[in-house]
Amino acid sequence: MPQPSRQNRRPLTVVVTGASAGLGRAASLAFAKHGCNVGLIARDTERLRQAFDEVEQAGARGLALPADVSDADAVERAADRAAAEFGSIDVWVNCAMASVFSPLSEMTPAEFRRVTEVTYLGYVHGTMAALKRMRPNNCGTIVQVGSALSYRSIPLQSAYCGAKFAIRGFTDSLRSELVHDGSRIRITMVQMPALNTPQFDCSRNKMPRRAKPLGAIFQPEVGARAVLYAAMKAPRELWVGSSTLEAIMGAMVTPGLLDRYLGRKAFSGQMSDEPACASDPDNLFSPASGEFGAHGRFDADALDASWVAVDPAALKMVGTAALGILLAGIFVVLRHAKR
């Protein structure tokens, strides 16, 4: 995380999108407890007020910034307010998302477009706003909240998975541009596992039963700690949870096998035993009514590990070292065999 100068010590300013619920809300509170000023961007004004109250109760300064991240002008205005209120923006966390649980054949172009505008273009808009305010001082950190689904897509969430893949491509492109420019601005991506957030309670659902996470579920605070770590250390990527590691490595090694496995298991695996209802909350085009905080309805099943994350760069170093040891061993064996 960028550090203030000795001459001008001040709390770091962090802006979080999607801050009113789910991981964004948990991350906002984590930054507040870390002593940061927190600008909170989200659509729902009431939940935004609640998130703001949590930040203030943690002893930090908060700023509620009502905005829909699909609106680039609204994101710009929010960034202006945060910079004017706190003096600068040191960290920007892109976390807002929208999804639809549905086979592609049952989705409308408008639904697909909306998921893309929020989950992908929202990150583009946030990144542009952050860069505009970080470039004058040539410092700052942008955290892209990604997912294991940015490496391995699953059925029934084609729009969301497509957006997560797009974020990774966009981020890699920007990372190279920053290197070319000799910029000290850092950009990092945190690939998340399934988290116990209201995503599964208020996303549009066209399945016959209520949505549930696929695979191991972690509490949003696990993800929040990873976001905080990424903001401080800025690894190129951070993979959170054993299930993320398994999904990404599986996609790299046996993609065809995973296609067949997910085709058989991932439809029923994303549906609970509870039937879906037409009156269930739906936040696709407007905020959903109801009390939604950081947690969803899977507290009984979610893991709250103190720390579960892998820096893939370190993983590659370990793999390279292991390969080197193996090759050295083979060389020694062959050398002795010739004697």
Side-chain angles (χ1 to χ4, degrees), residues 6 19 29 38 65 72 91 96 123 128 146 165 169 179 211 227 234 238 242 255-256 262 278 280 284 286 298:
R6 291 183 180 274
L29 185 57
V38 185
L65 301 164
V91 177
Y123 278 52
M128 287 178 166
F165 267 76
V179 170
V227 169
L238 198 62
S242 57
L262 292 169
D280 287 341
L284 185 60
S286 60
F298 301 101

Side-chain angles (χ1 to χ4, degrees), residues 55-241:
V55 166
E56 295 269 317
Q57 288 164 10
R61 288 178 63 197
L63 181 64
L65 301 164
D68 186 326
V69 296
S70 69
D71 182 341
D73 291 337
V75 174
E76 273 290 311
R77 291 191 295 271
D80 275 341
R81 282 191 60 200
E85 177 74 17
F86 298 126
S88 68
I89 296 175
D90 302 298
V91 177
W92 187 287
V93 180
N94 285 310
C95 191
M97 55 76 61
S99 188
V100 176
F101 291 92
S102 170
L104 179 62
S105 59
E106 296 180 20
M107 287 187 68
T108 67
E111 291 170 335
F112 209 102
R113 183 182 304 110
R114 176 62 180 169
V115 173
T116 304
E117 287 173 346
V118 173
T119 310
Y120 171 48
L121 291 182
Y123 278 52
V124 174
H125 299 156
T127 301
M128 287 178 166
L131 286 173
K132 182 177 177 180
R133 287 144 188 93
M134 293 175 179
R135 279 196 169 113
N137 295 323
N138 194 28
C139 67
T141 303
I142 299 170
V143 180
Q144 313 284 47
V145 173
S147 168
L149 304 186
S150 69
Y151 281 89
R152 173 63 246 187
S153 292
I154 59 176
L156 300 176
Q157 292 197 68
S158 57
Y160 180 79
C161 293
K164 287 298 183 182
F165 267 76
I167 293 164
R168 186 161 63 91
F170 163 72
T171 299
D172 286 350
S173 181
L174 174 59
R175 187 179 285 114
S176 297
E177 293 178 12
L178 293 173
V179 170
H180 173 269
D181 295 341
S183 175
R184 295 174 60 196
I185 298 170
R186 310 182 300 178
I187 188 163
T188 177
M189 193 165 184
V190 186
Q191 312 297 6
M192 295 291 177
L195 298 175
N196 174 34
T197 71
Q199 171 184 354
F200 304 95
D201 302 321
C202 58
S203 294
R204 180 164 293 190
N205 180 20
K206 297 188 172 185
M207 303 186 300
R209 301 196 297 276
R210 295 185 74 189
K212 74 178 185 70
L214 183 66
I217 311 169
F218 293 83
Q219 293 289 24
E221 287 77 15
V222 174
R225 289 192 287 270
V227 169
L228 179 61
Y229 177 87
M232 290 189 291
K233 302 297 185 181
R236 187 179 190 279
E237 280 197 5
L238 198 62
W239 298 349
V240 183

